[in-house]
Amino acid sequence: MCGIAGYVGPDDALPVLLNALHRVEYRGYDSCGVAIHNGNAGSGSRRIEVAKAVGYVDDLRAATGPIPGGVGIGHTRWATVGSPSKLNAHPHLDCTGRVAVVHNGSVENHYQLREELRQRGHRFRSETDTEVLAHLLEEYGSTPEGVAEALARVQGPYAIAVLFEGSDSIIAARRGSPIIIGLGDGENMVGSDVPAVLERANGFIHLEDGDIATVSASGVEIRHRGEAVRRRVHHVRWGPEVVDKGGYEHFLLKEIHEQPRVLRDTLAGRISADGHVNLGLGLDRRTPPEELFLLGCGSAAHAAMVGEAFLAALSDTRVQALEASEMVRPKRRGPGAWSVLVSQSGETADTVDAARDARRAGHFTLALTNVPESSITRAAHAIHHLRAGQEVSVASTKTYLAQLVGLYLLGLELFPPSDRRRRQMAAALRRLPEAVQQALAMAPQLEMLGTRLAAAEHAFIIGKGINYPTALEGAWKFKEVAYLHAEGFASGELKHGPFALLDTDTPVIAIMPRDDTYERMLVAVEEIHARGAPIIALTDCDNAELQSIAQSVVCLPPTDPMFTPVVSTAALQLMVYYCGLARGCPIDRPRNLAKSVTVH
Ligand code: M6R
């Protein structure tokens, strides 16, 4: 949810921390702060100095003068307990000012702990649950054992980095929320995820639940239940440029344009010449699915709906897409029950919970994720990696298309169609990156439409069959990126209620590739036209009748009817981007949102 960074080394920590926080700012950006051990080791009067700002890391950078000292921690916040303010921003100190802590997660018993601590004389300054941790840690002392004891009192998930006055190390710990240690040369870092440590690390370690790590410039010691342990070192395969905008004005635009490459990566090595799919997960050795749940939140739930339509078209198996938060207490099932958890970050609390619940209920659980080392991959039996690369913009674009293609591949492996159809689909999948490239090349028309939509107060998006979720996803993106109130509907449903809202100022985007839903979509579009609403048709053919009723027709490159959501979504994304740009929205960091939602 929020971003954590820590640095211990020979250089001043402040600039390193500010750069690191800037890179993880997509995780939370309503306020931020740093705590630095002011002065160098050996200098008698060292104390912890804190600087905070409401807003972005650049605001903190502008407001903070130099603070000497090579040990520090920092945080960029997405408010949960307590409004976004300087007082509530992390790091939080105990009342002596000798313990500073940054925290991701939630202290579920914070009221109770706060009351207890108050009775023992602690005075609180902020409204946050995190401040409780600083006071608690102060009581138990700076050793890893003390930290473990303090954390044993805490209910709820956490990832923390702690600075104790007088110490030349940072203590990091996790339970349920991710935290990593970046390994450099004579310097080390702590981060909520890899971009936080990219500047100085050439390897990194994922802490496990229950680990307490002491990170100094010269090394890292990890203890688990009092015992020293070693954790696998991963190599950093990206440079800091991966999280740069690469010449684009926004990450969102860069990530939209990366999609042809992403789809090639997602497909690479997974389809044989004759169209057989093998994800390399040993799925053929499992009891085949008799019942299959597809679970995700937000855009991932829309991807799951596309997956449902696709898998249901390939087989008679009962397939159900559900918002992960709605999978409450799944029924106990035999090995024929499968749950596929769709989550780009692998950290979405509701999806991780659904994975655990489904597994407990006896389901085979498969995580479809972009982050192979994430909470969901620990919870699930198997991992289907999306290979979309780091996505920085809060709105998901390239990871959404990768999820769709990931689900298509899964469907084709589980329920291969007849030889001819299988080869046809495999060929269409291989051509999909090119089709997306062509759709993105229509940017000038999509920009004109997006800019025109910026003047609207409301918009409808309609689709049918496998493109009904595309309508939902498009509307989701308009809300999130362009702050435009857009609603997605199944085209047949409009006349059952939403028609009441339709007027000449309500643009309707109709997603209507020429598949077996086309004629019914045309009927819906005619009904809308009769009520005077302007229509933008996204289709894959130049069609005279459509030209006469739609205000604009976007002729997208054709693909297999099953794969049209990929192409139409790419076009919608560009329209949304230009609409958001024209409305002056903070494209990559929409208000009130965060990249991964690790709280319930
Ligand atoms: O990381 P996840 O795929 O689990 O995230 C799920 C949703 O939070 C995410 O798709 C969200 O809806 C995005 N902001 C959509 O653009």
Side-chain angles (χ1 to χ4, degrees), residues 296-305 323-324 342 348 351 396 400 403 472-473 476-477:
C297 292
S299 292
H302 303 147
M305 289 173 74
E323 279 113 356
V342 187
T348 300
T351 316
S396 46
Y400 180 74
Q403 284 167 351
L472 298 180
E473 172 62 9
W476 202 261
K477 286 287 173 294

Side-chain angles (χ1 to χ4, degrees), residues 282-567:
L283 298 182
D284 51 340
R285 296 194 296 276
R286 299 259 161 205
T287 309
E290 288 153 15
E291 178 182 29
L292 202 147
F293 296 94
L294 297 166
L295 302 145
C297 292
S299 292
H302 303 147
M305 289 173 74
V306 174
E308 177 189 75
F310 182 65
L311 270 70
L314 292 181
S315 81
D316 292 329
T317 304
R318 199 167 84 87
V319 183
Q320 194 184 357
L322 268 180
E323 279 113 356
S325 54
E326 291 299 305
M327 196 204 213
V328 187
R329 286 188 292 279
K331 299 221 166 58
R332 262 219 87 70
R333 292 284 202 268
W338 288 39
S339 278
V340 177
L341 295 309
V342 187
S343 174
Q344 91 78 21
S345 63
E347 299 297 343
T348 300
D350 285 328
T351 316
V352 175
D353 276 5
R356 292 188 184 125
D357 290 349
R359 189 168 176 155
R360 261 195 297 272
H363 298 204
F364 167 61
T365 48
L366 172 63
L368 196 89
T369 183
N370 199 32
V371 185
E373 290 283 339
S374 55
S375 300
I376 214 154
T377 61
R378 288 159 215 269
H381 291 101
I383 311 163
H384 175 8
H385 181 210
L386 293 174
R387 306 174 180 164
Q390 174 80 21
E391 188 174 66
V392 174
S393 189
V394 164
S396 46
T397 51
K398 61 176 182 172
T399 55
Y400 180 74
L401 290 203
Q403 284 167 351
L404 297 189
V405 171
L407 287 163
Y408 290 143
L409 289 171
L410 178 66
L412 289 172
E413 173 160 1
L414 292 180
F415 311 119
S418 65
D419 276 7
R420 196 169 142 270
R421 183 74 182 115
R422 192 189 65 241
R423 286 203 193 94
Q424 235 176 26
M425 283 185 158
L429 273 182
R430 286 196 204 95
R431 284 196 303 269
L432 214 41
E434 181 57 29
V436 170
Q437 185 83 59
Q438 287 167 11
L440 297 179
M442 300 178 69
Q445 185 186 11
L446 298 166
E447 176 174 1
M448 182 270 290
L449 293 171
T451 310
R452 202 192 287 160
L453 280 167
E457 237 178 279
H458 312 280
F460 284 8
I461 309 188
I462 58 168
K464 192 166 177 60
I466 203 161
N467 273 302
Y468 166 44
T470 310
L472 298 180
E473 172 62 9
W476 202 261
K477 286 287 173 294
F478 272 111
K479 291 188 187 101
E480 184 175 29
V481 176
Y483 299 170
L484 171 63
H485 176 230
E487 294 296 339
F489 296 108
S491 60
E493 287 295 295
L494 278 187
K495 51 186 168 291
H496 297 288
F499 257 10
L501 288 175
L502 213 59
D503 59 23
T504 51
D505 293 326
T506 312
V508 180
I509 303 174
I511 302 154
M512 44 194 308
R514 199 176 256 292
D515 57 17
D516 57 5
T517 66
Y518 182 80
E519 298 302 331
R520 299 283 290 278
M521 281 294 298
L522 202 56
V523 172
V525 163
E526 274 159 352
E527 289 165 354
I528 293 163
H529 180 58
R531 281 149 188 91
I535 296 158
I536 299 172
L538 296 194
T539 183
D540 50 12
C541 56
D542 211 347
N543 183 306
E545 60 211 347
L546 212 44
Q547 294 286 359
S548 66
I549 44 181
Q551 192 181 62
S552 310
V553 179
V554 180
C555 288
L556 294 170
T559 178
D560 188 280
M562 287 290 158
F563 306 146
T564 52
V566 173
V567 179

Side-chain angles (χ1 to χ4, degrees), residues 146-196:
V147 172
E149 272 182 66
L151 292 175
R153 305 279 333 272
V154 172
Q155 286 164 17
Y158 58 76
I160 57 166
V162 192
L163 203 58
F164 286 98
E165 192 179 87
S167 160
D168 286 317
S169 47
I170 296 170
I171 294 204
R174 75 161 271 170
R175 184 178 69 203
S177 284
I179 194 153
I180 63 165
I181 313 297
L183 307 172
D185 251 346
E187 56 187 354
N188 289 307
M189 291 196 73
V190 174
S192 45
D193 51 0
V194 177

